[in-house]
Amino acid sequence: FRGFATTAISAWQGIVDALAAGDLGLAARIAWLSLKVVWKQGIAWLQERWLQFKSFFVEVFQQAVYGVAYFLNDAWAYIQSVWVEITTALANAWTNFINVLYRTWHQFAGFFRRVWARIRGLFGKRAEEEIARINEEEAKREQQDDVELATVLQQREDNRQRRLEQIESRRSEAEKALADMQEDERLKRESNVQDALDKTEEELAEAQREWRN
């Protein structure tokens, strides 16, 4: 508004001087150019406020949109991680259950083999040696079962860790891509606002130069 007042005062003085000199054409030209400058100044002021207002709401909207995008990205990664944990836990539980059944079956089988060995011992067979051999076989089988079970569980755990790392890696990459997109849009928006303001200032400066000449 101070610029409006300065322009109006200068224009009025120029019109008065032109009328005092009897130059009506110059007075009319000064009046017309003064109105043009004031109009440009008003448009420049309104456009600057409008651009600031629009930029503010666009930024708020984009922050909300990207906020939802960040949330969905994290939520999807969380769902995937939970799924990996659940499927791994179920697979481990099933493996342990099958292992228990397998061992129980062989323990029953070993028990009946020992009973049969003792029955045979009643008829002169060497039961103790047979029972010792059965016990040794069972011990070796259980030891082998323990190794195989530990190997399976460890492989599954390694796979679980690998899948979780992949999920986190994809989540981080998506988050970085969203952050880069958000920053690019912010810079582009600021550049567009600045270009519009520069154009308005150039038009105002041109009008002021024309007025001064």
Side-chain angles (χ1 to χ4, degrees), residues 80 159-173:
Q80 289 179 306
N159 183 58
R160 183 186 73 87
Q161 291 291 342
R162 183 171 58 255
R163 292 173 65 186
L164 291 177
E165 289 174 359
Q166 291 174 349
I167 291 171
E168 175 59 23
S169 176
R170 289 194 295 267
R171 188 201 67 80
S172 299
E173 291 175 359

Side-chain angles (χ1 to χ4, degrees), residues 18-89:
L19 290 175
D23 192 342
L24 295 179
L26 179 59
R29 183 170 182 274
I30 291 174
W32 166 248
L33 292 177
S34 299
L35 289 174
K36 185 177 180 181
V37 169
V38 171
W39 172 258
K40 289 288 187 180
Q41 287 176 334
I43 292 298
W45 185 84
L46 290 175
Q47 187 170 10
E48 181 178 0
R49 297 301 178 274
W50 165 248
L51 289 173
Q52 291 174 350
F53 176 81
K54 184 174 69 172
S55 178
F56 169 76
F57 278 97
V58 169
E59 183 174 359
V60 170
F61 175 75
Q62 288 185 344
Q63 286 179 350
V65 171
Y66 278 101
V68 172
Y70 286 127
F71 172 78
L72 292 177
N73 181 50
D74 292 340
W76 177 239
Y78 175 75
I79 292 173
Q80 289 179 306
S81 298
V82 170
W83 176 252
V84 169
E85 297 288 358
I86 291 175
T87 53
T88 301

